[in-house]
Amino acid sequence: MAILQIRTYPDEVLKKRACEIENIDGAIARLAKDMLETMYEAPGIGLAAPQVGESIRLIVFDVSHKEEKPEPHILVNPVITATEGEEVMEEGCLSVPGIYAKVKRPAKVEVKGYDLDGNEVVMQAEGLLARVILHEVDHLDGYVFLDRLSRVRRQMALKKYLKSVKS
Ligand code: NI
């Protein structure tokens, strides 16, 4: 396994729509495991393949507490199939280090995708788990959480971020 380099905003790979994965082969399995290792090391609770420079539809996440047993999830070609409600939660992103902002998103979500064996997986989630799934699927569509803010709040957050990157 290997720790991968995390791309940071405004890297172009973060703004592109990622491609569907056609074959879940050994290379995809290796990448997923490296992504999990990279995420734990960062540390973070979710990571999407574009964040490590691979423009393909693959996400990993684990919202278990540090004291608990790890609960790693890997989803290939995830699709949000239902959402419900609304919730405001503070988010950050390994690709936008140092910036946190309250983001409004659906409170509950159903996501379909595939595991590394090619089996279909359906997950219903709420709370932090729903939040991380929506955040990571956004990465596959070329969005970072800043894109979910109002124009004014987005500009303020971007200004702060770009200033922190320069210094
Ligand atoms: Ni992120």
Side-chain angles (χ1 to χ4, degrees):
M1 295 215 279
I3 304 287
L4 306 170
Q5 195 207 332
I6 296 177
R7 305 293 186 92
T8 53
Y9 194 84
D11 192 304
E12 285 303 317
V13 72
L14 298 171
K15 300 178 182 172
K16 275 206 297 197
R17 188 185 155 82
C19 297
E20 296 267 326
I21 294 172
E22 309 262 348
N23 287 309
I24 307 173
D25 55 14
I28 296 293
R30 238 178 349 263
L31 176 64
K33 280 165 191 160
D34 287 345
M35 282 169 59
L36 274 172
E37 197 183 1
T38 303
M39 178 190 84
Y40 287 128
E41 210 256 351
I45 58 172
L47 197 64
Q51 293 183 272
V52 293
E54 299 288 342
S55 195
I56 54 172
R57 303 187 81 80
L58 171 66
I59 63 174
V60 302
F61 48 96
D62 184 347
V63 299
S64 66
H65 286 283
K66 253 182 273 169
E67 315 78 66
E68 296 170 350
K69 209 168 109 233
E71 273 181 56
H73 292 277
I74 295 167
L75 276 183
V76 174
N77 297 338
V79 175
I80 305 293
T81 46
T83 59
E84 199 186 311
E86 241 177 36
E87 198 166 14
V88 175
M89 225 185 257
E90 189 168 74
E91 292 185 28
C93 178
L94 294 174
S95 293
V96 195
I99 300 296
Y100 300 88
K102 286 184 174 160
V103 184
K104 191 196 282 180
R105 293 189 193 266
K108 293 184 184 179
V109 65
E110 181 184 84
V111 62
K112 282 189 189 169
Y114 296 88
D115 66 17
L116 291 179
D117 298 318
N119 300 312
E120 195 182 52
V121 178
V122 182
M123 278 180 81
Q124 270 110 13
E126 56 183 63
L128 186 59
L129 189 58
R131 180 60 50 145
V132 73
I133 290 167
L134 289 161
H135 177 119
E136 299 314 326
V137 171
D138 255 5
H139 275 301
L140 304 184
D141 293 330
Y143 299 114
V144 297
F145 75 104
L146 301 177
D147 299 319
R148 295 290 181 196
L149 303 176
S150 69
R151 220 170 75 114
V152 173
R153 289 181 59 227
R154 181 174 183 273
Q155 278 173 348
M156 275 167 52
L158 263 182
K159 206 168 145 187
K160 188 176 166 196
Y161 172 68
L162 293 173
K163 205 170 141 191
S164 76
V165 190
K166 249 187 243 159
S167 59

